[in-house]
């Protein structure tokens, strides 16, 4: 699956005596799957804040010289995939903002649905913006707060912000971790030798030898400094963790709500097998996000599991455009079918989701060319009918295939013999938490916060910038 992008991975560390920029580099490396467009690290030493950001993968952005320049006892890091703000170097994070008496660096995962309103308000107060990201809106909103202490400034901003935000931020002597009151995006807390770390996912803690302690709670502000760690919070009336973290975004070796993502995906596959059984020779999962679900399907159905597509793990995101001949090969740059395992077989192919419906037909076509006799698609996400406003670059509604077509029409459009999407109840059973603790708005249209006003605004702007599109195309 290629056309769904998480917005960001974030990391923070408070560990005097440690090479914090190097640790942050390796943590960002483990979080690379959450964003591949730009990367950045900021460190604090005494009254100085050092920062380096650039476009590209973590391994391209940093070298030994840069890491040596990023000195300090505190660091925050960020991997970005753009959702708000275009993909340009000035939108890379962390962002650094300051007044004469307060300077903060901030990294954000999520999307603020009222950022346009807040930005206009801040500009009227004289705040100047250097990027088009809502992360800079959050940071400046904190600076604009009448409160004197940083926790008060953060709370002030939290009361004004709408949408999704997990944050790492630092001043010269403190590290903060913040999760929005709904807890849409994850944020984990761990220990590191004598210090503390914060990360989007627990897999980053594992890679740097940190001990996972707990998740930062929805609405919580964690403050870490020389005197230790303390916590305060604003009220959280409705929890809405993004259920897509379980299906696709989070790495299979991460824990979420105390559960291993890999095992949750195995359960999704097992449930799909019960909901949509079919006679076949082989089950395979599209690597890597649907491998565990494929194994779960196979185990439940008793049909053997085989790998059929090999993923080129080093393709990642490249800024080198393929030439026309390579472009025509399409998904083959990413997957290679093993003909011997496919030819003459009736395949059950498990994938995480179908968004626009542009990648799946190419994969099915590739399998048929490799000799597959039948291709039965099984999907771990229910049909995606609504766009995401909380930090996932999904698509506009008129680009979502399930918003336009019935399941049987999608089956025909992608060229599958049969198609089965997991039910909403099946998905909830697989994640094993109460339904009302999740956001599942891209399936149900039931957004956890009001987004209609901003949606209308976005549609009108889109219409203004693209007058050839008719009203019916942007109807929601
Ligand atoms: S709309 Fe979908 S992708 Fe966006 S936060 Fe909600 S569940 Fe996640």
């Amino acid at each position: 699956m290629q056309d769904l992008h998480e917005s960001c991975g974030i990391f923070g560390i408070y560990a005097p005596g440690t090479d914090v920029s190097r640790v942050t580099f390796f943590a960002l490396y483990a979080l690379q799957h959450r964003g591949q467009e730009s990367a950045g690290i900021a460190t604090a030493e005494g009254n100085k804040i050092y920062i380096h950001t650039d476009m590209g993968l973590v391994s391209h952005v940093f070298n030994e010289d840069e890491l040596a320049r990023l000195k300090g006892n505190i660091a925050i890091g960020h991997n970005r995939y753009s959702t708000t703000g275009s993909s340009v170097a000035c939108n890379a994070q962390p962002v650094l903002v300051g007044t004469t008496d307060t300077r903060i660096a901030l990294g954000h995962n999520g999307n603020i649905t009222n950022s346009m309103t807040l930005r206009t308000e801040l500009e009227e107060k004289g705040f100047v913006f250097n990027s088009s990201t809502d992360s800079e809106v959050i940071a400046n909103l904190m600076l604009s707060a009448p409160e004197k202490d940083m926790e008060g400034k953060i709370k002030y901003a939290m009361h004004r912000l709408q949408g999704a935000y997990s944050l790492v931020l630092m001043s010269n002597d403190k590290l903060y971790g913040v999760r929005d009151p709904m807890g849409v995006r994850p944020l984990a807390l761990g220990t590191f030798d004598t210090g503390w770390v914060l990360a989007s996912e627990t897999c980053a803690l594992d890679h740097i030898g940190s001990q996972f302690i707990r998740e930062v709670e929805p609405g919580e502000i964690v403050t870490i400094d020389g005197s230790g760690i303390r916590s305060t919070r604003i009220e959280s009336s409705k929890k809405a963790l993004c259920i897509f973290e379980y299906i696709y975004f989070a790495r299979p070796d991460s824990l979420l709500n105390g559960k291993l993502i890999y095992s949750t995906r195995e359960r999704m596959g097992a449930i799909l097998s019960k909901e949509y059984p079919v006679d076949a020779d082989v089950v395979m999962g599209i690597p890597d996000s649907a491998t565990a679900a494929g194994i779960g399907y196979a185990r439940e159905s008793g049909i053997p599991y085989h790998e059929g597509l090999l993923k080129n793990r080093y393709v990642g995101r490249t800024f080198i455009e393929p030439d026309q001949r390579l472009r025509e090969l399409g998904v083959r740059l990413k997957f290679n079918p093993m003909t011997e395992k496919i030819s003459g077989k009736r395949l059950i192919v498990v994938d995480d989701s179908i968004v626009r419906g542009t990648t799946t037909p190419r994969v099915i076509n590739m399998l048929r060319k490799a000799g597959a006799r039948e291709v039965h698609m099984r999907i771990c996400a229910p049909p995606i009918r609504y766009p995401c406003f909380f930090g996932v670059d999904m698509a506009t509604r008129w680009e979502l295939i399930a918003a336009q077509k019935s399941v049987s029409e999608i089956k025909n459009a992608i060229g599958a013999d049969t198609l089965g999407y997991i039910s909403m109840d099946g998905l909830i059973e697989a994640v094993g938490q109460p339904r009302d603790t999740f956001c599942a708005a891209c399936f149900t249209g039931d957004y956890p916060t009001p987004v209609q006003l901003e949606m209308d605004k976005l549609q009108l702007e889109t219409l203004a910038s693209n007058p050839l599109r008719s009203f019916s195309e942007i109807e929601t």
Side-chain angles (χ1 to χ4, degrees):
M1 224 272 306
Q2 294 190 63
D3 43 9
L4 189 61
H5 300 279
E6 169 63 281
S7 56
C8 302
I10 56 176
F11 179 78
I13 178 167
Y14 182 100
T18 300
D19 186 350
V20 289
S21 60
R22 190 170 299 270
V23 175
T24 305
F25 170 87
F26 283 106
L28 291 182
Y29 206 70
L31 295 171
Q32 187 75 84
H33 59 290
R34 295 183 77 88
Q36 297 101 40
E37 286 205 349
S38 66
I41 295 176
T43 59
E45 186 192 47
N47 61 0
K48 294 201 175 85
I49 291 184
Y50 302 97
I51 188 160
H52 178 70
T53 63
D54 208 345
M55 304 299 289
L57 300 172
V58 179
S59 56
H60 297 160
V61 170
F62 296 99
N63 56 32
E64 285 289 348
D65 290 344
E66 282 301 342
L67 291 179
R69 199 178 63 78
L70 292 163
K71 292 177 286 199
N73 299 322
I74 317 173
I76 61 169
H78 190 272
N79 287 331
R80 177 165 196 267
Y81 183 87
S82 62
T83 47
T84 60
S86 55
S87 175
V88 290
C90 68
N91 283 341
Q93 295 185 39
V95 296
L96 181 61
V97 298
T99 58
T100 40
D101 47 21
T102 313
R103 282 205 311 162
I104 52 172
L106 175 144
H108 167 216
N109 175 202
N111 195 45
I112 303 303
T113 54
N114 62 340
S115 70
M116 282 185 281
T117 313
L118 293 170
R119 185 181 172 119
T120 307
E121 204 181 290
L122 288 162
E123 281 172 339
E124 282 165 7
K125 285 183 183 167
F127 283 84
V128 176
F129 287 81
N130 298 309
S131 72
S132 56
T133 63
D134 50 7
S135 315
E136 202 181 356
V137 173
I138 301 172
N140 278 323
L141 188 62
M142 288 175 185
L143 287 186
S144 76
E147 284 76 5
K148 289 278 172 259
D149 65 301
M150 196 56 212
E151 282 155 21
K153 287 178 183 297
I154 295 171
K155 280 188 183 168
Y156 170 85
M158 290 172 84
H159 285 298
R160 300 288 323 276
L161 294 167
Q162 287 171 13
Y165 53 92
S166 279
L167 308 174
V168 286
L169 61 146
M170 63 178 201
S171 59
N172 284 93
D173 60 351
K174 290 183 176 58
L175 171 70
Y176 303 88
V178 179
R179 213 165 154 213
D180 70 67
M182 298 183 297
V184 178
R185 296 285 151 225
L187 190 61
L189 172 72
T191 53
F192 185 90
D193 295 339
T194 55
W196 296 87
V197 295
L198 296 154
S200 288
E201 287 183 41
T202 62
C203 68
L205 306 187
D206 297 336
H207 277 287
I208 58 166
S210 156
Q211 176 72 39
F212 170 60
I213 299 297
R214 65 175 176 86
E215 288 172 18
V216 176
E217 293 291 322
E220 185 178 7
I221 304 164
V222 170
T223 305
I224 301 162
D225 61 14
S227 58
I229 183 165
R230 56 189 179 275
S231 164
T232 177
R233 66 186 65 214
I234 68 165
E235 195 188 337
S236 165
S237 53
K238 178 175 176 46
K239 290 190 180 146
L241 173 65
C242 170
I243 206 161
F244 240 110
E245 292 284 348
Y246 289 95
I247 298 167
Y248 176 68
F249 299 134
R251 255 178 47 169
D253 53 339
S254 284
L255 293 168
L256 205 47
N257 272 332
K259 295 201 163 77
L260 186 68
I261 297 289
Y262 189 95
S263 306
T264 305
R265 290 183 187 161
E266 282 182 314
R267 283 194 293 280
M268 289 174 196
I271 290 165
L272 269 168
S273 160
K274 286 192 251 179
E275 291 185 343
Y276 300 101
V278 63
D279 204 14
D281 304 310
V282 168
V283 182
M284 46 180 270
I286 302 283
D288 293 318
S289 48
T291 302
I295 289 168
Y297 192 112
R299 192 179 301 137
E300 180 67 30
S301 64
I303 300 169
Y305 182 87
H306 281 307
E307 285 192 73
L309 291 173
L310 254 283
K311 186 175 178 183
N312 178 1
R313 295 210 159 71
Y314 303 98
V315 165
R317 188 174 179 88
T318 173
F319 288 89
I320 311 293
E321 286 289 322
D323 67 11
Q324 188 55 30
R325 196 180 66 82
L326 288 173
R327 200 172 293 125
E328 276 159 18
L329 284 174
V331 288
R332 261 204 109 116
L333 280 180
K334 190 166 181 187
F335 298 115
N336 197 24
M338 294 188 283
T339 306
E340 193 183 306
K341 298 283 178 198
I342 294 168
S343 184
K345 304 266 177 19
R346 296 170 301 163
L347 306 178
I348 295 168
V349 180
V350 184
D351 202 357
D352 52 74
S353 55
I354 300 177
V355 185
R356 292 174 176 86
T358 48
T359 308
T360 314
R362 291 190 210 142
V363 171
I364 293 175
N365 193 29
M366 197 161 64
L367 294 169
R368 292 212 192 272
K369 278 190 179 160
R373 205 143 55 88
E374 293 172 11
V375 180
H376 303 276
M377 290 301 300
R378 298 293 180 265
I379 309 297
C380 296
I384 301 171
R385 298 200 167 100
Y386 302 89
C388 176
F389 291 89
F390 303 114
V392 177
D393 176 27
M394 197 167 258
T396 45
R397 190 157 183 218
W398 60 85
E399 293 170 308
L400 296 169
I401 192 167
Q404 309 298 337
K405 295 183 192 299
S406 68
V407 172
S408 129
E409 287 168 336
I410 298 170
K411 174 192 81 83
N412 293 337
I414 63 176
D417 290 280
T418 66
L419 169 64
Y421 288 92
I422 200 167
S423 66
M424 206 49 227
D425 287 346
L427 178 59
I428 295 294
E429 184 189 334
V431 295
Q433 302 281 333
R435 186 173 183 145
D436 61 3
T437 59
F438 291 107
C439 173
C442 44
F443 312 126
T444 63
D446 183 14
Y447 293 94
T449 58
V451 292
Q452 195 57 47
L453 276 178
E454 296 285 341
M455 284 165 74
D456 288 347
K457 243 186 279 175
L458 281 173
Q459 286 164 20
L460 289 172
E461 280 176 5
T462 309
L463 187 67
S465 63
N466 191 356
L468 292 177
R469 282 202 161 116
S470 71
F471 263 111
S472 63
E473 280 177 304
I474 61 161
E475 198 175 65
T476 59

